[in-house]
Amino acid sequence: MPAGKTVRTVAVHLLPDLVEPPQLAGKTAVVIDVLRATTTVVHALANGAREVLPFLNVDDARAKAKLIGAGVLLGGERGGLRIEGFQLGNSPAEYSEQVVGGKTVIFTTTNGTRAMQRCKLAKRVLLASFVNLSAVCRELADESEIDIVCAGTDGHVTREDTLLAGAIVDDLSRLTGLEFKTNDQADIAADAWRSAVGDLTGTSPLGQALRASRGGRNLIDIGHENDIDLAAQIDQFDLVAELDLTSWRITAK
Amino acid sequence: MPAGKTVRTVAVHLLPDLVEPPQLAGKTAVVIDVLRATTTVVHALANGAREVLPFLNVDDARAKAKLIGAGVLLGGERGGLRIEGFQLGNSPAEYSEQVVGGKTVIFTTTNGTRAMQRCKLAKRVLLASFVNLSAVCRELADESEIDIVCAGTDGHVTREDTLLAGAIVDDLSRLTGLEFKTNDQADIAADAWRSAVGDLTGTSPLGQALRASRGGRNLIDIGHENDIDLAAQIDQFDLVAELDLTSWRITAK
């Protein structure tokens, strides 16, 4: 590390419950829900959605849509499936330019939204997925205190989120050429990433790893296997998605 | 998997709080607290201690020692250090044959004991460390539902416990030649193990990994670095340590 530099830290939390909101105060948080919330949000913004407004509760999402009125789409899932009366589910493929271009998307998923709420005291909150991995890492390169929060699924650690967390830890070190002070979960995630998909040259090894993950198995069970391949398209988009903590809106940066 | 065989499962829980006691009902639990509780208990039994009685509470440990009277040693730690009035701390090196041979050891450590209590509904509970890795795996080879519970440190996931969990998952598959149904945490731990110390031929890579772990850094801070090397002696002992859930005694099997 160059002399005079402050120590830079990157911590991983394998579940939202493994970090208390005050621990994130003033830090840069990165929320991960690979299958599928953060992947879908990046697709929506990359395809021209004006903004994505995340809601934990279906009724609150409906009420907000009614309040805004025109130009709004309701998207999200419960149990992996589209919610009654919603125009969109939680498949990245549904969020095409034709559908979401210029629109506000009101979006509700359980695990991803909960992870975002856990970051309410952070300085800023980015959303990461494999489809915007390098863009996120570039954005993080100037940040000195980074906390990556994995959404998991219903309180269970998931391998898909852990692998992306590990990929970010790994890429950050390479990109900046700096050493980061890590917590053990960051080391475990980076180890897991290197071992699982190591010297990745295509997306196939990642797709295989994601199929075997908890989230991947769930998607196969409900007939959404195609979404796994979409989530495995590393760097498909050069876009940073950021949640504004005051307005609670996610926009492309 | 041979036809007609039941599906065998191995799950890892990176912290005691990540598994509820009823989930372990009827299963074979393996408790891991590499630095240092489970390593120290294996040392004690290998060096001839008659039994080790684990206590969460210092006062309860003292009361039990008083009740038993002769032939009893009090051991354990708070904040990594020996407890006032106790004959032994939590360094494996203290539990020599000369000291513990034929004795009952009343033992209190926070994280390890808490992990054991989490397993109170299990069918049986083994204690694992790197120093008895192969013996534990051989003992597990006939079990069909295995849950590995990592003690962690004060609610934090630790890399040292995760690596041993991964080593057990990895060795079990190789030893039995069978495929196990795993949870994501088991896959993550096995990935981490393979990546961190991969094709281990000596104990040095493991010692290095343990030095960099949360528990390792703590031990270096309090002047117990030597214990890290002791914990990294893979298969030093051919001994299985089992906690009897009725009598709450740990003995060599």
Side-chain angles (χ1 to χ4, degrees):
Chain A
M1 198 176 300
K5 281 264 181 190
T6 52
V7 177
R8 294 157 62 105
T9 61
V10 57
V12 169
H13 311 285
L14 295 175
L15 284 174
D17 280 357
L18 293 177
V19 62
E20 295 300 324
Q23 287 177 255
L24 302 179
K27 298 185 178 172
T28 300
V30 181
V31 169
I32 290 178
D33 187 3
V34 170
L35 297 175
R36 301 166 285 172
T38 54
T39 301
T40 300
V41 168
V42 171
H43 266 261
L45 294 174
N47 286 325
R50 204 173 137 248
E51 57 187 0
V52 177
L53 314 185
F55 281 82
L56 192 58
N57 188 292
V58 173
D59 289 339
D60 291 348
R62 284 205 178 100
K64 182 72 174 179
K66 211 168 167 184
L67 196 70
I68 301 185
V72 141
L73 291 168
L74 275 163
E77 52 86 15
R78 284 298 177 274
L81 302 173
R82 183 196 305 221
I83 297 157
E84 206 193 314
F86 277 41
Q87 291 86 3
L88 300 164
N90 191 21
S91 286
E94 298 176 79
Y95 292 73
S96 66
E97 200 175 339
Q98 204 179 358
V99 173
V100 302
K103 299 279 173 65
T104 289
V105 179
I106 305 212
F107 191 66
T108 175
T109 72
T110 41
N111 302 298
T113 309
R114 216 171 266 146
M116 290 178 223
Q117 290 190 329
R118 205 77 185 168
C119 303
K120 61 189 174 191
L121 300 180
K123 184 179 74 174
R124 51 187 307 213
V125 181
L126 308 181
L127 273 65
S129 59
F130 282 108
V131 300
N132 71 337
L133 170 60
S134 292
V136 168
C137 290
R138 270 203 313 276
E139 186 71 19
L140 291 174
D142 292 326
E143 299 289 350
S144 56
E145 292 182 299
I146 299 163
D147 279 71
I148 302 172
V149 180
C150 297
T153 300
D154 304 334
H156 295 279
V157 172
T158 62
R159 193 173 178 218
E160 66 270 18
D161 293 343
T162 305
L163 289 177
L164 177 57
I168 295 173
V169 172
D170 209 37
D171 281 12
L172 264 180
S173 310
R174 260 184 299 165
L175 189 68
T176 62
L178 298 174
E179 276 201 35
F180 287 79
K181 196 166 180 295
T182 51
N183 69 347
D184 277 23
Q185 290 170 78
D187 295 336
I188 292 164
D191 282 345
W193 166 249
R194 285 189 288 262
S195 171
V197 277
D199 297 319
L200 199 68
T201 51
T203 55
S204 162
L206 178 57
Q208 283 168 29
L210 296 187
R211 273 180 172 69
S213 71
R214 184 181 190 95
R217 296 190 305 268
N218 287 346
L219 285 176
I220 292 168
D221 285 348
I222 61 170
H224 278 295
E225 186 169 359
N226 184 48
D227 290 349
I228 302 173
D229 294 314
L230 292 175
Q233 304 296 320
I234 294 181
D235 290 338
Q236 182 180 357
F237 303 114
D238 186 19
L239 174 147
V240 173
E242 180 155 2
L243 170 67
D244 183 279
L245 287 166
T246 311
S247 63
W248 208 250
R249 296 160 64 237
I250 306 166
T251 54
K253 197 188 166 285
Chain B
M1 196 178 299
K5 281 264 180 187
T6 51
V7 176
R8 293 157 62 107
T9 62
V10 57
V12 169
H13 310 285
L14 295 175
L15 285 174
D17 280 357
L18 293 178
V19 63
E20 295 300 322
Q23 288 177 254
L24 302 179
K27 298 184 178 173
T28 300
V30 181
V31 169
I32 290 179
D33 187 4
V34 169
L35 297 175
R36 298 166 286 174
T38 53
T39 302
T40 299
V41 168
V42 171
H43 266 260
L45 294 174
N47 285 326
R50 205 174 137 248
E51 58 189 358
V52 177
L53 314 185
F55 281 83
L56 191 58
N57 187 294
V58 174
D59 288 340
D60 291 348
R62 284 205 179 100
K64 182 72 175 180
K66 210 166 167 186
L67 196 72
I68 301 183
V72 143
L73 291 169
L74 273 164
E77 53 85 16
R78 282 301 176 273
L81 302 173
R82 183 197 304 221
I83 297 158
E84 205 193 315
F86 277 41
Q87 291 86 6
L88 299 164
N90 191 21
S91 287
E94 298 175 80
Y95 291 72
S96 65
E97 197 174 343
Q98 203 179 0
V99 174
V100 302
K103 297 279 174 62
T104 289
V105 178
I106 304 215
F107 191 66
T108 176
T109 73
T110 42
N111 302 297
T113 309
R114 217 171 266 147
M116 290 178 222
Q117 290 190 329
R118 206 78 185 167
C119 304
K120 61 190 175 191
L121 300 180
K123 184 179 76 177
R124 51 188 305 215
V125 180
L126 308 182
L127 274 64
S129 59
F130 282 108
V131 301
N132 71 335
L133 171 59
S134 292
V136 168
C137 290
R138 269 202 314 278
E139 187 72 19
L140 291 174
D142 293 326
E143 299 289 350
S144 57
E145 292 182 300
I146 299 164
D147 280 71
I148 303 173
V149 180
C150 297
T153 300
D154 303 334
H156 295 279
V157 172
T158 61
R159 194 172 177 219
E160 66 270 18
D161 293 344
T162 305
L163 289 177
L164 177 57
I168 294 172
V169 172
D170 208 38
D171 281 13
L172 264 180
S173 308
R174 258 183 301 165
L175 189 69
T176 61
L178 297 174
E179 275 202 35
F180 286 79
K181 196 166 179 294
T182 51
N183 68 348
D184 277 23
Q185 291 171 77
D187 293 336
I188 293 164
D191 281 345
W193 165 250
R194 284 189 288 260
S195 170
V197 278
D199 298 317
L200 199 68
T201 50
T203 54
S204 162
L206 178 57
Q208 282 167 28
L210 296 187
R211 273 179 174 70
S213 70
R214 184 180 190 96
R217 295 190 306 267
N218 286 347
L219 285 176
I220 292 168
D221 285 347
I222 61 170
H224 278 296
E225 186 170 358
N226 184 48
D227 289 350
I228 302 173
D229 295 313
L230 292 175
Q233 306 293 321
I234 295 181
D235 290 338
Q236 182 181 358
F237 303 114
D238 186 20
L239 173 146
V240 172
E242 182 156 1
L243 171 67
D244 183 282
L245 287 166
T246 311
S247 63
W248 209 250
R249 295 160 63 239
I250 305 165
T251 55
K253 197 186 165 286

